[in-house]
Amino acid sequence: MNARKSIAMIMRNFRKFATRGPRWMRGLALAAVSAVLLVAISCATVSRSVVELPNVPGAKYIGSKECEQCHDQIYKGFATADHARLIAQGTNALNAGCESCHGPCSLHSDSGGEVLPPYSFKSGRPKSSSFGARLTVASPRATEMVCFQCHAEVRGQFGLPNHHPVTEDKLSCTECHSPHKGSIHEGGGTSMLSLNDNCFRCHQAQKGPFVFQHEALHEGCTVCHSPHGSVNAKLLTERNANLCLKCHFQQVSGGQLFIGGSDHTLRVQQGTCWTAGCHEAVHGSRVSPALRF
C-alpha cells in the first residue's frame, strides 16, 4: 500500500474517533494519528533521487554492490555520499550510484578491470574490448561532461563571461566537490567556515588573518560570489553598491543618504564601495576598521 492510500485510511479512522468517545480518547487518538502521519509523510518524502542512466551498447548495469569487490574503500565511503542517492527508476530499480557517473560497468567487471568503465575520467580512448562492445571515447574533460549531464544549469553558468576555468581544463569539478564520500562540497555539509576553507585553498590572500575582518566572511564566500560563473567581474552576485547595501543599513534623511551614520550621498555616485577608493580591503584590513586599506 502506498503512502497516499495509507494516509487516506488513517484520516477516515480518525474521523470516527473525533466524533465519538470521551475527550481523553479523542486526545489520545489525535496524538497517535499525528505520530503515524509523521512517519508516513517522512517515508513518502525521503525517497531516493532518480536519474536517467546513460546507455552504452553491449554493456549492462550491475549495481554498486559489484564495485565493492575491487573498490572496497571507495564503496564504504560512498554510502555516506550525496551521490549514493542516485538510482534507476522502475519496479526493478537497482542501486546504480557508482554507475550513474561511470556508466554501465558489466564489461569492466567481467574483464577484471582490463576494460575501463565507459566514463573513466581519463583522456584518450579506453582499452579495446573483446566482449563485443565498443566503448565511448572519453573526452579530455570527461569529468565535467559527465557532471553536466545532470547539472545543466551549472554548465550554463560556466558559459557566462566570468567563471572559474573549468571548461578551459584548468580546474576540475572534483577539486571543489567530493563525489565519493560525504557532502558533495569539499568543505563539508552546511558549515560556512568549512566552505570558506574550500575557497581559501586557492584564494589564500583573502583568508588573512586580518585584524579587522569583513563580517561577510562569517556568512560564507557565496554571499557575495557566485562560485560557478557570473556576468559580473570577480564572480560577484551584484555589479554595484547594491551588493553592500544588502547587509549595510541605509537611511535617507533630508535628501541625504546615510550609511553607518555617515553621509554617503556623493560617495555612492563615484562608483561601487570598493572601486571608489573608500573600502578597498573588502575581505579584511590590518589597520582600518572601515576596511579602507
Side-chain angles (χ1 to χ4, degrees):
M1 183 182 297
N2 58 38
R4 183 175 298 178
K5 292 182 179 179
S6 299
I7 294 173
M9 184 182 67
I10 293 170
M11 293 306 298
R12 285 196 299 270
N13 293 332
F14 173 69
R15 293 191 191 99
K16 297 179 182 179
F17 283 104
T19 56
R20 304 172 187 174
R23 181 177 297 179
W24 68 269
M25 183 177 294
R26 284 180 284 174
L28 182 61
L30 177 61
V33 168
S34 300
V36 174
L37 281 175
L38 180 60
V39 174
I41 293 174
S42 299
C43 293
T45 56
V46 296
S47 59
R48 293 172 177 265
S49 305
V50 174
V51 296
E52 183 178 352
L53 301 175
N55 291 321
V56 176
K60 299 179 180 179
Y61 285 91
I62 56 178
S64 296
K65 186 65 177 178
E66 291 293 327
C67 305
E68 183 182 14
Q69 298 182 26
C70 300
H71 309 282
D72 56 325
Q73 293 301 319
I74 294 178
Y75 182 85
K76 290 178 181 178
F78 189 68
T80 67
D82 291 346
H83 278 147
R85 292 171 52 84
L86 301 175
I87 63 171
Q89 191 176 16
T91 56
N92 296 320
L94 75 160
N95 184 348
C98 300
E99 294 172 294
S100 61
C101 292
H102 291 280
C105 291
S106 60
L107 300 179
H108 175 67
S109 177
D110 293 342
S111 66
E114 290 295 324
V115 177
L116 295 179
Y119 302 105
S120 60
F121 304 143
K122 297 179 181 179
S123 60
R125 183 183 298 273
K127 295 181 179 179
S128 60
S129 169
S130 60
F131 292 85
R134 190 173 185 81
L135 302 183
T136 57
V137 177
S139 165
R141 295 193 301 270
T143 304
E144 289 68 49
M145 294 302 105
V146 172
C147 296
F148 291 158
Q149 289 181 354
C150 294
H151 303 284
E153 78 289 354
V154 175
R155 182 175 192 170
Q157 292 171 8
F158 282 123
L160 295 175
N162 299 284
H163 57 267
H164 273 112
V166 170
T167 53
E168 289 81 6
D169 202 20
K170 296 181 180 179
L171 193 67
S172 171
C173 298
T174 55
E175 295 187 46
C176 297
H177 302 285
S178 176
H180 290 138
K181 186 177 181 179
S183 170
I184 192 63
H185 295 284
E186 277 287 354
T190 58
S191 174
M192 289 300 180
L193 291 179
S194 295
L195 291 178
N196 283 355
D197 288 338
N198 191 30
C199 302
F200 292 153
R201 290 188 303 165
C202 295
H203 305 281
Q204 297 182 6
Q206 285 70 30
K207 181 178 182 179
F210 302 109
V211 177
F212 305 99
Q213 188 180 53
H214 194 174
E215 292 183 359
L217 290 181
H218 295 291
E219 299 295 327
C221 301
T222 55
V223 171
C224 297
H225 300 278
S226 178
H228 297 116
S230 173
V231 295
N232 305 314
K234 308 291 186 181
L235 302 183
L236 294 173
T237 57
E238 299 283 348
R239 72 177 64 190
N240 50 33
N242 287 330
L243 176 62
C244 303
L245 296 179
K246 288 181 176 180
C247 298
H248 295 279
F249 178 73
Q250 56 180 318
Q251 183 179 12
V252 178
S253 177
Q256 295 178 304
L257 175 65
F258 290 88
I259 302 176
S262 177
D263 185 6
H264 281 68
T265 308
L266 297 179
R267 297 174 186 171
V268 295
Q269 300 177 19
Q270 299 173 5
T272 61
C273 303
W274 57 94
T275 60
C278 297
H279 307 283
E280 296 181 348
V282 291
H283 296 97
S285 172
R286 296 178 177 83
V287 296
S288 172
L291 307 184
R292 293 186 59 86
F293 32 74

